[in-house]
Amino acid sequence: MSSFEEHKLKQAKAEVVRAQVERFRKFYADYFHLEETISMVEYFFETIYNLDGKEAWMHLALDTYQKVKGMMKETTRANLETLIELNNLTDHLDSEMAQLLIQRDWDGKKLTREEYDDLYKAYGHKEEREKQLEIVLHNLRTFYELAHKPISAYLIRPARFMAGLLGVSLLFDSVEKAYNAVLPVSPEIFVSFIEQVERRESEYLESAFLNGRQPKESSA
């Protein structure tokens, strides 16, 4: 692949991510404006799609982490691995959607919602999309439970210290940010949010893959 092609693919991927985040912001607008949930939705629906230092993060996930994971506590290891799994799957799906976008002679302009929905539907891979949703919901529930266990506050510091010793601080930062993002959210609002995400994303998948209708945009 030439440098021009790589640059074009990078631009297309960035546009796919931007359009996806825009959809999340419209679907869950109430939560993006509610002080209690802003950090949570920004992290799980935006930050992980625009992960700072993604190349370095991926290198650690694929290389260094595999060498040291046996030395980490089970909870820390499990939380890291679900984030790595989500990041890898999402990156794969976004990259392939970007390639399809280029094949459609994309002119570099921002995708409309209709254009993004059409691209999403044309790309397909229903089972992988269902898996992606399953991991997102699992991560949300896991980190919420972790953040609201009283002992967790005392375990974060030694876990952070160990991550530094093992050379995976960048990965652990993602775990800590997820922990902090869900910490302010009350149980009632979290349950309502999870139910809405599961319902709305399932509807989006169903409309894209089962009956041919365009995914809905109406707010909850």
Side-chain angles (χ1 to χ4, degrees):
M1 184 181 292
S2 68
S3 58
F4 173 77
E5 290 172 328
E6 287 181 358
H7 179 67
K8 184 73 172 178
L9 181 60
K10 186 175 181 179
Q11 286 183 315
K13 188 174 176 180
E15 178 54 24
V16 166
V17 171
R18 184 206 64 77
Q20 172 79 326
V21 170
E22 184 178 79
R23 178 178 78 79
F24 286 144
R25 281 190 165 271
K26 288 181 179 178
F27 269 32
Y28 308 106
D30 290 346
Y31 295 98
F32 275 100
H33 293 92
L34 183 64
E35 184 176 358
E36 189 174 325
T37 57
I38 287 175
S39 294
M40 177 178 67
V41 291
E42 284 187 345
Y43 180 81
F44 285 98
F45 286 151
E46 188 162 336
T47 301
I48 60 175
Y49 288 91
N50 295 286
L51 198 61
D52 291 334
K54 179 165 252 183
E55 289 186 8
W57 198 96
M58 293 289 284
H59 173 74
L60 282 176
L62 295 172
D63 184 20
T64 306
Y65 172 72
Q66 298 302 321
K67 299 175 183 176
V68 303
K69 64 181 182 180
M71 298 180 234
M72 306 181 80
K73 286 186 176 294
E74 183 177 352
T75 300
T76 302
R77 185 171 67 248
N79 290 333
L80 269 174
E81 288 178 356
T82 56
L83 282 177
I84 290 171
E85 184 180 10
L86 177 60
N87 191 275
N88 288 344
L89 177 56
T90 299
D91 192 68
H92 167 72
L93 295 172
D94 291 345
S95 295
E96 292 205 342
M97 278 186 72
Q99 290 176 344
L100 177 58
L101 181 59
I102 291 173
Q103 290 170 13
R104 291 181 157 200
D105 298 322
W106 179 56
D107 59 6
K109 294 181 180 178
K110 285 185 177 182
L111 294 171
T112 64
R113 256 303 304 280
E114 292 74 18
E115 290 170 336
Y116 174 79
D117 289 344
D118 181 65
L119 183 70
Y120 184 98
K121 180 179 176 180
Y123 173 66
H125 293 262
K126 178 175 178 283
E127 290 184 1
E128 287 178 288
R129 289 299 186 187
E130 290 174 336
K131 181 66 175 177
Q132 184 183 34
L133 174 58
E134 178 186 321
I135 300 172
V136 168
L137 292 169
H138 173 78
N139 280 347
L140 278 163
R141 291 187 176 105
T142 297
F143 282 109
Y144 190 81
E145 291 171 6
L146 173 68
H148 290 82
K149 288 180 179 177
I151 194 172
S152 295
Y154 299 98
L155 297 177
I156 287 291
R157 177 179 282 186
R160 185 193 305 124
F161 176 72
M162 179 59 71
L165 287 180
L166 299 175
V168 291
S169 291
L170 187 61
L171 296 183
F172 184 76
D173 283 347
S174 297
V175 171
E176 191 168 11
K177 286 176 182 177
Y179 168 91
N180 289 328
V182 298
L183 196 56
V185 184
S186 68
E188 295 78 14
I189 288 180
F190 182 77
V191 169
S192 172
F193 173 69
I194 279 287
E195 289 176 348
Q196 185 176 144
V197 171
E198 189 163 18
R199 174 178 60 82
R200 301 227 51 211
E201 293 305 307
S202 294
E203 288 175 351
Y204 188 83
L205 287 169
E206 180 182 355
S207 64
F209 299 125
L210 293 183
N211 51 31
R213 289 182 292 107
Q214 285 298 315
K216 303 173 185 177
E217 188 176 312
S218 60
S219 59

